[in-house]
Amino acid sequence: MHKINIAIDGPAGSGKSTVAKEVANELSYLYIDTGAMYRALTFRALQAQVSEQDEQSLIQILKEMEITLEQQRDGDVQVLVNGERLGEEIRTQTVTAKVSEVSAHRRIREEMVARQQQLAKQRGVVLDGRDIGTYVLPGAELKIYMDASVEERAKRRHLENIGKQRPSDITTTKEEIKRRDGLDRERPIAPLQQAEDAVRIDTTNRAIEEVVVHICGIAREKENED
Ligand code: CDP
Ligand code: CDP
């Protein structure tokens, strides 16, 4: 048996982070939430009143940020920036509204990808994001592309917001998801797309556990391949 690397990509609300967390837990792997890294940068840029268009200032902010993803006992990931814990503040609507523009810049992506590849060197990692199978870990032994209808994804995000007592409205949530999907899919650098060798899983009508069992089954087969 040998550890493999698992890449999970897909649009917002397709179930990537929930599933990635559980798969990592099941296989005793490390879960790396790459979206949280882009969100942390966006949060810091907003704090510094730097425009999402200002690539030069954004890269400067990023270079001064040491981002650590700390795995909690419950499998959740705690983001630390220069030792300071960031929680709900990286998931606000304000951050969500700007994160796709911030992450579209070439130099930002180059820096983030280099950091993510460094984290994956130890092997036995599950990374989720938009460009993992295509750019970050093109050699990952297992690539998953998760999708679900936009209605279902908006409903999930809305319910999640309500559960976490964040202000939410289903129509606005759906519009925001569509807008972000469009930006992530159409950006010139590392757009969201399915890698040729990825396994596609439509989670619209599938329970989380079912998807986790499916992925762990394939992962265990790969772990036992020569
Ligand atoms: O959880 P949710 O699907 O809402 O988003 P996320 O995974 O936290 O990612 C937030 C944003 O970061 C995405 O909409 C992308 O613009 C960007 N992102 C990216 O460009 N590349 C990644 N590998 C991960 C996230
Ligand atoms: O990471 P991503 O944005 O792709 O989605 P997520 O944050 O993992 O999932 C969004 C919400 O959908 C969470 O509240 C999950 O519990 C829920 N979900 C679901 O109901 N059924 C699935 N098959 C996957 C996720």
Side-chain angles (χ1 to χ4, degrees):
M1 204 225 42
H2 59 96
K3 290 193 169 190
I4 63 165
N5 283 343
I6 305 177
I8 305 185
D9 291 300
S14 53
K16 301 178 301 296
S17 57
T18 311
V19 167
K21 222 178 281 175
E22 291 201 21
V23 167
N25 193 30
E26 193 67 34
L27 301 172
S28 300
Y29 279 18
L30 182 70
Y31 165 51
I32 298 168
D33 177 353
T34 66
M37 298 172 72
Y38 290 98
R39 285 177 176 275
L41 170 62
T42 306
F43 172 69
R44 279 286 200 247
L46 282 163
Q47 264 190 331
Q49 297 185 327
V50 162
S51 159
E52 66 276 14
Q53 306 300 337
D54 184 354
E55 182 173 17
Q56 181 57 33
S57 302
L58 289 170
I59 193 78
Q60 232 164 317
I61 294 179
L62 179 58
K63 294 262 184 185
E64 285 164 17
M65 286 171 72
E66 191 203 5
I67 307 175
T68 319
L69 301 173
E70 200 181 77
Q71 201 124 6
Q72 309 292 291
R73 273 172 190 275
D74 60 4
D76 265 347
V77 171
Q78 170 82 62
V79 183
L80 287 99
V81 172
N82 301 333
E84 184 197 332
R85 282 169 196 278
L86 295 184
E88 272 294 295
E89 53 268 60
I90 66 166
R91 316 246 165 228
T92 61
Q93 272 172 4
T94 325
V95 169
T96 302
K98 299 281 185 203
V99 64
S100 289
E101 281 96 342
V102 168
S103 48
H105 298 289
R106 178 183 300 280
R107 289 171 65 203
I108 298 297
R109 300 206 71 81
E110 283 170 358
E111 175 69 22
M112 290 291 198
V113 168
R115 293 185 189 198
Q116 291 155 8
Q117 289 173 335
Q118 191 61 35
L119 292 170
K121 266 197 177 151
Q122 58 177 298
R123 305 193 60 72
V125 293
V126 185
L127 269 78
D128 84 325
R130 302 294 187 287
D131 60 339
I132 310 300
T134 46
Y135 289 90
V136 181
L137 301 178
E141 289 85 348
L142 176 55
K143 298 180 186 177
I144 304 289
Y145 187 86
M146 298 214 321
D147 209 347
S149 71
V150 70
E151 286 73 24
E152 174 66 22
R153 294 188 286 118
K155 193 177 89 189
R156 289 176 184 171
R157 219 2 89 80
H158 176 61
L159 290 175
E160 195 183 3
N161 286 338
I162 289 178
K164 294 198 169 161
Q165 277 149 26
R166 298 178 193 139
S168 192
D169 159 76
I170 183 90
T171 314
T172 318
T173 305
K174 187 169 154 191
E175 287 315 307
E176 173 56 38
I177 283 186
K178 279 193 187 166
R179 190 186 78 89
R180 199 146 55 93
D181 281 357
L183 290 170
D184 292 344
R185 287 192 172 115
E186 275 147 40
R187 69 180 171 222
I189 306 138
L192 166 66
Q193 59 185 23
Q194 181 176 344
E196 266 180 29
D197 49 351
V199 177
R200 188 182 187 90
I201 303 181
D202 190 317
T203 71
T204 308
N205 297 307
R206 296 182 76 179
I208 295 164
E209 209 37 52
E210 193 189 329
V211 179
V212 171
V213 169
H214 182 176
I215 297 176
C216 286
I218 315 176
R220 290 206 167 98
E221 277 175 25
K222 302 258 180 201
E223 283 183 332
N224 291 311
E225 280 173 11
D226 290 335

